[in-house]
Amino acid sequence: MEPLYPLWIAHVFDHPAQDTRWYLKDHADFSVSDAEFVWLFTQTMLRAGRDLEPFDDIQVSSGLNYIFNNSCSNYIFQLIDGDVSKEVKSEALLSVQSLYADCLSPRCRPVLSHLSEPGASPLNSFCYMLWEVTPLMYWEGRARKEYFYESVLQVLAFALRCPNIACQESALHGLNHVRHYAKKQVEAIVDDFLQNNPGQRREMLNYAASARGGHLI
């Protein structure tokens, strides 16, 4: 599958920055099997720090939306419902940690999107809304759902430990959404954050408390 990877990266990210809705055009088709997509997804996450460096923040934001957001493409359902093993799916989910560590944390500006603070980059919006727009946080009605929720929670707990508050905010936003399906686990993750970050900005502590109670809109 390695020969597919550079073609995939070009297909997803190598578009003029002003053409943010390129995926609506006829040339947007890139047909791959479930196994191929899950492999491409995982490699994109693991190599995001290096391989997305040539693209500007608008291109990266647009491409990541194309991958994660099912209003832009249906690829993500090949991960969720595709004919691959649960271990391979979990590995793909966990690879999103690398996206946070190597791409989003270094490139997003340390500002809070829920307060519309100035200075955000185009990647901040994707980072903040990631778990709002992706179906990766919803595993109801699927076999081994608890197994996959655990993988999602590992990613969110990791993101909450990132030094960039934009990633922390993204994690809390996601935890708020998944709380309905994993209440105790979410509360434990947020409690750990609150306990270990007493000097954090008051706005973030308030946001975390709201996420813990599932009160974010």
Side-chain angles (χ1 to χ4, degrees):
M1 285 185 276
E2 187 66 37
L4 277 176
Y5 180 72
L7 301 176
W8 166 255
I9 292 296
H11 169 71
V12 175
F13 298 102
D14 194 8
H15 302 276
Q18 65 271 23
D19 189 11
T20 57
R21 296 172 67 82
W22 58 267
Y23 44 78
L24 298 179
K25 299 177 181 178
D26 292 340
H27 70 266
D29 294 333
F30 192 95
S31 297
V32 288
S33 69
D34 295 342
E36 286 171 333
F37 171 72
V38 175
W39 184 87
L40 290 168
F41 175 94
T42 304
Q43 295 305 308
T44 304
M45 301 299 107
L46 294 176
R47 307 184 198 183
R50 179 190 66 211
D51 293 354
L52 303 189
E53 189 174 358
F55 307 105
D56 67 26
D57 288 351
I58 295 176
Q59 291 172 303
V60 174
S61 178
S62 178
L64 290 175
N65 264 305
Y66 175 66
I67 294 172
F68 282 91
N69 188 339
N70 62 294
S71 70
C72 302
S73 79
N74 288 319
Y75 284 116
I76 205 66
F77 290 113
Q78 290 187 264
L79 193 166
I80 296 171
D81 296 318
D83 185 18
V84 295
S85 72
K86 64 180 178 57
E87 291 84 6
V88 170
K89 289 184 183 182
S90 178
E91 180 184 1
L93 289 169
L94 293 174
S95 72
V96 179
Q97 294 174 118
S98 294
L99 177 69
Y100 273 109
D102 302 332
C103 179
L104 297 179
S105 189
R107 295 180 67 158
C108 289
R109 307 291 167 77
V111 298
L112 297 177
S113 294
H114 79 276
L115 297 179
S116 300
E117 291 182 340
S121 82
L123 266 179
N124 281 76
S125 178
F126 167 79
C127 185
Y128 176 54
M129 294 298 291
L130 170 55
W131 301 98
E132 177 89 19
V133 301
T134 186
L136 283 180
M137 50 72 61
Y138 184 79
W139 293 86
E140 295 302 293
R142 295 178 171 93
R144 303 300 301 273
K145 65 179 183 179
E146 294 84 2
Y147 180 85
F148 297 115
Y149 279 128
E150 180 58 34
S151 297
V152 170
L153 289 167
Q154 285 188 49
V155 173
L156 294 172
F158 177 89
L160 197 52
R161 295 191 297 270
C162 286
N164 191 329
I165 60 170
C167 293
Q168 297 171 18
E169 180 186 40
S170 171
L172 290 169
H173 196 173
L175 288 164
N176 175 79
H177 284 297
V178 79
R179 179 185 181 277
H180 182 71
Y181 315 109
K183 181 176 181 289
K184 290 183 179 179
Q185 297 97 312
V186 166
E187 289 177 350
I189 292 169
V190 177
D191 285 344
D192 182 71
F193 173 77
L194 292 169
Q195 181 177 350
N196 290 296
N197 293 275
Q200 178 60 270
R201 289 179 55 182
R202 175 54 53 186
E203 295 90 343
M204 276 295 291
L205 296 178
N206 291 340
Y207 195 75
S210 295
R212 184 189 189 281
H215 301 313
L216 299 180
I217 299 175

